[in-house]
């Protein structure tokens, strides 16, 4: 048996380390979810999220992990005779395509090699070949450590394909990377809270455009649990359709207060600073897996150019320091390793971790 009550400090790209003051929010007295206290908590939280993501549109709090919103996006906003273009550049963006298929909708795939970015030109060329109701993409590809150029893509979409809806998985980007929802013109984006929100897993935050909400009204068989119409109806009362994970919302509220106080520019810069530090270390000792200019500010995927045993190194640091970082994702298990620098991880934490890896490399 492991000592799961004294687990290792986490530098994996989710769940990430959660600070004690945040954990305490999850043990506050509970509220009745149809009582005014809850509505106050909900309303205040949503108002702060609107500031954090620069939006005047809809924010839904979903008691599910982010994967639930993948399915919600398709079931609410794509009709059965419509086709979705899934852009794919790694393990998580690939999953969008599986979700579309499993919901019985038609899919076309636009693939690039892992470690490469999806560009506006690639999407534009593909959209010219057919009729698509929506495109899917991932903001930050957690397998390859790459942030797609989403602002450039969005600019192109608004100019050339304004009728095509845009669904973006921002799970490992939200909070850590700039996200001006209304300016980007996206229809749906979301994250689970165990990434850069730095909260234990169990909840997702979804941003839904007014256009996406209007579309959902016309799509049949949206399902019950993730019906956007039900979310909108209850959101008007600062409630959720079913009983939410209220402790998580208390923690989201707490984290949002800190983010609003710090200011999002400062939050993004803090992530950028940590990323620069880890990237410099990575280039000195190994190399980056993805193209340098697209390297993410929330996690770094390092190419194992020295052929070290990633598994053994992780094991050694776990045994000596009760700390773990991430191995490569899926097929990249031993070819890369991943270090998260998001949420409440601090520069000093990273210096400590990289120092320990240095020792193992000697
Ligand atoms: C972690 C992650 C997911 C999966 O999130 P769940 O909370 O497990 O549903 C999806 N997409 C990306 C980009 C991720 O990093």
């Amino acid at each position: 048996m492991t000592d799961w009550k004294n687990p290792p400090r986490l530098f994996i790209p989710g769940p990430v380390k959660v600070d004690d003051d945040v954990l305490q929010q999850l043990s506050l007295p509970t509220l009745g979810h149809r009582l005014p206290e809850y509505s106050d908590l909900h309303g205040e939280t949503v108002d702060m999220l609107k500031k954090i993501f620069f939006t005047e549109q809809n924010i839904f709090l979903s008691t599910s992990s982010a994967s639930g919103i993948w399915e919600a996006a398709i079931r609410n906003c794509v009709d059965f005779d419509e086709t979705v273009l899934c852009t794919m550049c790694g393990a998580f963006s690939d999953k969008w395509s599986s979700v579309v298929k499993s919901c019985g909708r038609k899919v076309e795939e636009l693939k690039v090699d892992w470690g490469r970015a999806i560009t506006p030109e690639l999407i534009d060329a593909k959209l010219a070949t057919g009729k698509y109701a929506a495109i899917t993409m991932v903001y930050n590809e957690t397998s390859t450590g790459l942030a797609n150029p989403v602002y450039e893509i969005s600019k192109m979409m608004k100019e050339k394909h304004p009728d095509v809806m845009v669904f973006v998985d921002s799970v490992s980007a939200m909070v850590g990377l700039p996200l001006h929802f209304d300016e980007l013109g996206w229809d749906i984006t979301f994250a689970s809270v165990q990434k850069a929100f730095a909260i234990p897993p169990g909840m997702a935050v979804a941003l839904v455009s007014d256009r996406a909400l209007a579309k959902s009204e016309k799509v049949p068989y949206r399902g019950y649990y993730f019906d956007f119409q039900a979310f909108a109806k209850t959101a008007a009362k600062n409630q959720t359709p079913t009983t939410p994970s209220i402790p998580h919302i208390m923690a989201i509220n707490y984290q949002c207060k800190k983010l609003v106080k710090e200011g999002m520019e400062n939050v993004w810069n803090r992530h950028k600073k940590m990323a620069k530090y880890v990237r410099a270390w990575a280039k000195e000792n190994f190399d980056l897996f993805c193209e340098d200019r697209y390297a993410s500010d929330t996690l770094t995927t390092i190419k194992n150019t020295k052929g070290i045993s990633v598994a053994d190194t992780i094991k050694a640091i776990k045994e000596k320091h009760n700390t773990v970082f991430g191995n490569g994702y899926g097929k990249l298990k031993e070819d890369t390793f991943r270090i998260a620098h998001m949420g409440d991880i601090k520069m000093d934490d990273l210096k400590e971790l990289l120092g320990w890896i240095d020792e193992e490399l000697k």
Side-chain angles (χ1 to χ4, degrees), residues 164-178:
V164 179
M165 290 206 283
V166 180
F167 306 154
V168 186
D169 169 338
S170 295
V171 180
S172 60
M174 255 192 183
V175 176
L177 306 182

Side-chain angles (χ1 to χ4, degrees), residues 88-350:
M88 300 157 75
C89 60
F92 290 96
S93 43
D94 284 5
K95 283 184 192 176
W96 264 120
S97 170
S98 319
V99 174
V100 177
K101 285 177 205 155
S102 73
C103 292
R105 270 68 165 181
K106 285 177 278 190
V107 62
E108 280 270 342
E109 299 181 339
L110 170 57
K111 278 189 195 175
V112 295
D113 288 340
W114 284 31
R116 304 200 75 93
I118 298 292
T119 62
E121 296 74 30
L122 286 171
I123 296 177
D124 186 29
K126 188 75 187 172
L127 287 177
T129 67
K131 192 165 163 39
Y132 300 95
I135 63 165
T136 68
M137 56 179 170
V138 71
Y139 188 158
N140 196 71
E141 183 42 81
T142 317
S143 56
T144 62
L146 172 142
N148 278 313
V150 293
Y151 280 79
E152 284 88 2
I153 291 170
S154 300
K155 188 165 174 278
M156 181 282 294
M157 289 299 293
K158 286 203 294 189
E159 281 168 17
K160 297 191 162 177
H161 308 283
D163 296 338
V164 179
M165 290 206 283
V166 180
F167 306 154
V168 186
D169 169 338
S170 295
V171 180
S172 60
M174 255 192 183
V175 176
L177 306 182
L179 202 170
H180 303 81
F181 185 66
D182 293 355
E183 180 196 323
L184 285 159
W186 292 350
D187 290 283
I188 299 172
T189 196
F190 50 87
S192 22
V193 296
Q194 75 273 18
K195 308 268 166 112
F197 277 103
I199 294 170
M203 191 97 197
V205 171
L207 280 52
V208 176
S209 72
D210 295 336
R211 169 168 86 163
L213 190 60
K215 171 85 186 265
S216 72
E217 212 176 345
K218 292 181 232 130
V219 177
Y221 302 112
R222 297 185 294 272
Y224 183 80
Y225 194 69
F226 294 109
D227 180 4
F228 284 166
Q229 289 298 315
F231 269 97
K233 216 165 125 190
T234 47
K237 297 184 280 186
N238 285 323
Q239 293 181 1
T240 50
T242 54
T243 320
S245 177
I246 296 168
H248 278 98
I249 300 175
M250 289 171 174
I252 296 172
N253 183 281
Y254 182 81
Q255 291 295 62
C256 285
K257 278 198 177 118
K258 287 194 335 204
L259 292 169
V260 169
K261 190 160 170 232
E262 184 177 357
M264 292 315 290
E265 290 280 346
N266 296 328
V267 174
W268 303 328
N269 281 332
R270 174 160 58 76
H271 283 81
K272 188 170 276 176
K273 234 164 126 181
M274 291 194 290
K276 272 191 180 157
Y277 184 80
V278 175
R279 282 202 287 271
W281 177 89
K283 283 190 222 166
E284 201 180 308
N285 293 283
F286 297 92
D287 207 350
L288 299 180
F289 179 73
C290 74
E291 273 182 90
D292 206 331
R293 64 182 163 147
Y294 296 120
S296 159
D297 284 345
T298 56
L299 85 139
T300 298
T301 299
I302 297 146
K303 195 189 222 169
N304 182 8
T305 50
K306 287 188 172 150
I308 61 164
S309 164
V310 170
D312 289 349
T313 311
I314 293 172
K315 192 163 167 250
I317 288 174
K318 184 172 180 223
E319 276 165 11
K320 290 179 201 164
H321 308 289
N322 201 26
T323 295
V324 293
F325 59 93
N327 52 242
Y329 192 95
K331 65 184 182 187
L332 299 177
K333 202 174 172 74
E334 279 289 323
D335 299 335
T336 65
F337 57 96
R338 296 174 300 157
I339 295 174
H341 29 82
M342 62 173 104
D344 286 328
I345 289 172
K346 301 284 184 300
M347 193 66 118
D348 284 345
D349 298 318
L350 291 166

